[in-house]
Amino acid sequence: MVAEHMVKAFDEEISQMRGLIAEMGGLAELAIGESMEALVRGSQALADSVITRDKRIDALEQEVDKLAIQIIALRAPMADDLREVIAALKIAGILERIGDYAKNIAKRTGKIEGREAFDPLTLIPAMAEIAAEMVHDVLTAYAARDAVGAQEVVERDAKVDAFYDSIFRNLVSFMVERPATITTAAQLLFVARNLERIGDHATNVAEQVYFAATGDYLGDRAERPEN
Amino acid sequence: MTGNFRKLWAGLALAAVMLAALATAGVPKRLVVLSGVVWFASLWFTRMWPTASAVAAPAAARPDTDAAARDAMCAALERVGLPIVLMRGHRIVAANAAAREAFGAHIVGQDARLALRHPDAVKLLYLADGGSVTISGLSGSGSLWQLTRQRIDERYWTIELRDRSAEADIGRAHTDFVANASHELRTPLSAIIGYVETLAEDPGRVDPETTARFLAIVLREARRMQSLVADLMSLSQLEAEKHDLPTERIDLGQMAARVVGEFPAVAPSGRQAGAARPAGPRVVLSRGQEDVGAIGDAKQLEQMLRNLIDNALKYSDSDQPVEVSIARGKRGMAMVAVRDHGAGIAPDHLPHLTRRFYRTDPGRSRAAGGTGLGLAIVKHIVERHRGKLDISSKLGDGTQVTIHLPFAAPAVPVDTAPGPASGSNLAASGQIGTKPGAIAKPVS
């Protein structure tokens, strides 16, 4: 729990800003889940609703931007308050990107042919689940200002990467065997790529959460294990 | 309040003096009486003023009313099993124990959107009259919550959260079970039917040697079906109680010692007759002096460990040891790890290992009597215990499965060592008696 400020309005503004970030996160989470559902079931209506809802994420990002600039200009925040504002500014940008990736997945719904007989389609939801869970957990870590939780999300990124490699190889061999499916398989490659990026962005959010909570930067991720 | 009264009397005196002065100054009597009435009436209303200022005064001390409301809330609702939060505007000012457990203690004092960030929940927060929505994925994937927001007074609202995950799961689990079971049971069944048909058609023509061979195949396939049915049953059982948290405290070290003891010291001969084997146990347990405990279900945790050791034995050569270690992990977790020195698993397969009926090498798995459900069961058990499952593997170096379970501090002195130990012993012997298929898998 962060100590209260002398100026009550400042607390309200910070709380409002965190609320906006959470709202963006909720929208991004839903977008990932629904875009995958639309893709697997082939529901164009659901895909369209994901695409239209993305505008709300964009609007929220602008709102966070404005509020953050207003706070910096009027309140001149220091130390952990400044970190909070800067982190919020960055997280808003990243969440907006995550929303875009989900939107991109939704856009590919209509381009998948022969859905019923297409095996690789069953691999993607498992990967999406891991990526979505990372986003969910990093937002929970943000809400709790939980640096350790954020660190854990970063460590989980390797799983998504491994999944991506596996799906990539799977799809390529599928394309080699059945050239007729190349268009569809290529679409799925992009979907897998988008999910991999969502995982990466979740770790970026985690780094910001860690920074806001501790003031330190999370160590370089180069030393992570091979698989 | 006394100050107000003093002012009132002073005002009345002043009014009386003034009215008397006016009367003596020759102002008409009616006018004097009229102004007197107005004056006294206005004084009377100023006396009433405090009721208005009473509203304004506590505004400065608003935290007190928050605290009072919080206290009342805590007293009344703390022990209610249903998660309930008390809100002012969009801020959560209090949350009962159930709500803190479901969403974390950090939600108190924060904007409600941080805990309930699903767009439909946010919409609910802005509805003028409150209402009710059902939301999926609020606390992890697959969860389903019904939120009801109700007004208490102008400023305070409550949100009541009902966990509907269990109900939503029942349907899903059912279809999954039917699909999995029918697919995997069909294979051995068609083999059995095929061989028995051949034997039944013309009993005289099949020579005794072939008959014996066919019967052996039928027996093996029937056994496979048996262990499959046992595994499917425990999976569906797990699915059914996925949402009730286990309550018993288990000493993981003791439990591991018991499970490891069940495995024979030297791998059963038969598969590789004549191979040189060092004497001594193949499954080695290492644990520190510390009592590492977790809240769990003894039967299930034993099954989890047994499945993992089974796998490790199956996928490594018979002269290589399998190491089981119990330790205190980081972040308040207890760690259970099973390591083998077998061929390892290609990274391609790692993400899919816990899927039902996923096999890296179908032929080998079937030959070893695997059902393809072992790790799926492990995953379900870990999930029910709110733990984490990690599998890491290097080709040629072996595989390590690590499980983190929420650590439970040693119980109160009254029933430390003997209590849980005897209890779980009982559970273990019960399982050995009732479910032979799940434990002693036939090795062909």
Side-chain angles (χ1 to χ4, degrees):
Chain A
M1 189 79 227
V2 171
E4 287 196 4
H5 293 94
M6 292 290 284
V7 184
K8 187 103 186 175
F10 185 30
D11 277 335
E12 304 261 302
E13 280 170 7
I14 293 263
S15 154
Q16 163 71 1
M17 193 176 64
R18 287 173 62 79
L20 287 172
I21 294 280
E23 199 178 337
M24 282 185 80
L27 282 162
E29 267 184 75
L30 187 69
I32 299 171
E34 288 196 349
S35 66
M36 281 314 296
E37 202 185 327
L39 188 81
V40 172
R41 286 209 335 241
S43 161
Q44 191 59 48
L46 193 58
D48 289 342
S49 85
V50 171
I51 294 166
T52 33
R53 212 181 315 108
D54 189 58
K55 292 202 182 77
R56 174 82 185 126
I57 301 188
D58 297 352
L60 279 172
E61 191 206 359
Q62 283 188 2
E63 224 173 298
V64 173
D65 273 10
K66 270 187 218 154
L67 189 58
I69 289 168
Q70 185 194 324
I71 291 175
I72 293 174
L74 296 183
R75 313 271 180 211
M78 310 257 276
D80 53 346
D81 295 327
L82 182 59
R83 288 205 304 274
E84 181 83 59
V85 177
I86 296 293
L89 206 54
K90 288 189 175 177
I91 290 173
I94 304 170
L95 287 176
E96 193 268 335
R97 290 295 304 149
I98 291 180
D100 282 351
Y101 286 125
K103 183 173 78 173
N104 193 280
I105 293 173
K107 277 183 180 167
R108 294 178 194 278
T109 295
K111 295 177 182 161
I112 308 287
E113 292 159 2
R115 203 174 298 276
E116 290 75 22
F118 200 61
D119 285 343
L121 203 50
T122 57
L123 294 175
I124 305 256
M127 181 179 179
E129 202 171 301
I130 297 184
E133 210 171 84
M134 282 175 74
V135 175
H136 180 90
D137 290 354
V138 81
L139 288 168
T140 308
Y142 176 73
R145 296 188 169 94
D146 177 2
V148 187
Q151 212 166 353
E152 258 179 20
V153 172
V154 172
E155 283 161 13
R156 241 185 288 161
D157 188 41
K159 261 193 194 174
V160 180
D161 290 351
F163 226 123
Y164 175 63
D165 290 344
S166 151
I167 286 178
F168 185 88
R169 258 172 265 178
N170 212 308
L171 281 171
V172 169
S173 61
F174 202 82
M175 285 194 265
V176 172
E177 282 166 28
R178 272 154 281 200
T181 62
I182 283 183
T183 330
T184 305
Q187 295 291 345
L188 285 192
L189 271 183
F190 281 113
V191 171
R193 176 79 192 150
N194 284 337
L195 289 173
E196 192 264 338
R197 296 299 303 146
I198 287 175
D200 277 353
H201 279 314
T203 66
N204 291 342
V205 175
E207 281 163 8
Q208 292 305 322
V209 171
Y210 189 88
F211 170 69
T214 64
D216 291 329
Y217 290 99
L218 255 181
D220 202 12
R221 273 183 290 143
E223 73 270 340
R224 70 182 172 208
E226 283 280 294
N227 37 45
Chain B
M1 232 31 198
T2 47
N4 272 331
F5 272 113
R6 208 170 298 141
K7 260 186 235 160
L8 179 71
W9 289 119
L12 286 177
L14 184 68
V17 170
M18 281 304 284
L19 289 175
L22 283 175
T24 48
V27 177
K29 250 190 197 148
R30 246 190 292 166
L31 209 62
V32 174
V33 170
L34 195 70
S35 59
V37 166
V38 170
W39 202 323
F40 284 121
S42 70
L43 276 171
W44 179 253
F45 280 118
T46 45
R47 206 191 87 82
M48 297 302 286
W49 183 251
T51 48
S53 72
V55 180
R62 200 163 269 178
D64 289 341
T65 56
D66 267 4
R70 213 173 302 154
D71 290 347
M73 165 102 176
C74 288
L77 300 176
E78 179 68 15
R79 294 277 147 240
V80 175
L82 208 63
I84 297 172
V85 296
L86 180 67
M87 321 225 330
R88 201 180 70 214
H90 294 145
R91 214 162 55 82
I92 296 175
V93 292
N96 71 348
R100 289 198 307 272
E101 195 193 328
F103 300 98
H106 60 84
I107 61 170
V108 179
Q110 299 228 44
D111 190 305
R113 284 176 292 182
L114 283 162
L116 318 169
R117 50 181 176 262
H118 191 286
D120 288 344
V122 173
K123 217 177 279 170
L124 177 74
L125 293 177
Y126 285 96
L127 284 182
D129 307 316
S132 180
V133 289
T134 305
I135 287 164
S136 63
L138 203 59
S139 61
S141 69
S143 65
L144 191 72
W145 290 85
Q146 188 186 3
L147 272 61
T148 311
R149 180 164 170 261
Q150 281 162 328
R151 180 191 285 280
I152 302 177
D153 56 27
E154 301 92 75
R155 285 185 300 150
Y156 290 98
W157 294 78
T158 56
I159 293 183
E160 177 189 305
L161 302 110
R162 243 173 239 276
D163 192 352
R164 297 246 182 253
S165 315
E167 295 156 49
D169 271 349
I170 292 171
R172 215 180 311 149
H174 222 80
T175 49
D176 268 15
F177 176 81
V178 172
N180 289 337
S182 59
H183 177 79
E184 284 289 321
L185 288 173
R186 212 179 289 148
T187 330
L189 200 55
S190 55
I192 291 172
I193 291 174
Y195 284 110
V196 172
E197 256 174 9
T198 317
L199 289 174
E201 260 172 21
D202 25 20
R205 259 183 46 198
V206 186
D207 58 278
E209 198 184 315
T210 319
T211 309
R213 198 158 57 85
F214 281 10
L215 285 176
I217 293 170
V218 168
L219 184 63
R220 193 184 65 213
E221 294 297 318
R223 287 239 169 90
R224 215 176 97 203
M225 282 181 72
Q226 189 186 29
S227 54
L228 197 57
V229 168
D231 274 3
L232 282 171
M233 289 308 286
S234 52
L235 250 189
S236 76
Q237 170 84 28
L238 273 167
E239 211 121 77
E241 49 189 29
K242 187 159 104 188
H243 298 284
D244 352 321
L245 273 176
T247 49
E248 199 183 339
R249 184 184 184 274
I250 313 285
D251 182 338
L252 291 174
Q254 280 183 16
M255 182 209 73
R258 212 160 42 234
V259 174
V260 166
E262 286 171 16
F263 287 87
V266 180
S269 55
R271 248 189 295 173
Q272 288 172 324
R277 271 186 219 106
R282 246 193 96 185
V283 185
V284 188
L285 173 68
S286 69
R287 57 171 168 144
Q289 291 300 306
E290 201 187 355
D291 174 10
V292 180
I295 298 297
D297 181 314
K299 251 164 124 178
Q300 289 183 356
L301 289 180
E302 278 176 16
Q303 189 182 9
M304 173 189 90
L305 195 57
R306 208 173 283 127
N307 280 3
L308 290 177
I309 296 175
D310 246 5
N311 275 351
L313 288 173
K314 242 181 256 166
Y315 294 102
S316 60
D317 292 335
S318 51
D319 54 345
Q320 289 161 326
V322 167
E323 291 147 20
V324 179
S325 53
I326 308 286
R328 183 97 192 250
K330 53 181 177 176
R331 251 203 124 188
M333 298 294 243
M335 190 196 77
V336 180
V338 177
R339 171 147 180 52
D340 68 49
H341 297 275
I345 304 163
D348 265 20
H349 292 301
L350 284 182
H352 312 293
L353 285 179
T354 55
R355 277 166 54 184
R356 288 165 189 199
F357 303 117
Y358 184 88
R359 293 181 175 97
T360 55
D361 182 352
R364 186 175 177 185
S365 161
R366 293 223 169 85
T371 57
L373 289 172
L375 273 179
I377 291 175
V378 168
K379 186 188 168 209
H380 271 84
I381 294 175
V382 173
E383 273 175 4
R384 189 189 160 208
H385 287 79
R386 305 282 191 272
K388 282 223 157 90
L389 169 70
D390 255 314
I391 306 174
S392 64
S393 183
K394 260 205 182 109
L395 279 177
D397 189 38
T399 306
Q400 166 149 352
V401 181
T402 314
I403 287 156
H404 285 98
L405 297 169
F407 181 83
V412 269
V414 185
D415 54 356
T416 33
S422 62
S424 37
N425 261 331
L426 240 155
S429 60
Q431 190 184 16
I432 290 165
T434 50
K435 281 163 96 186
I439 297 150
K441 279 186 188 145
V443 179
S444 56

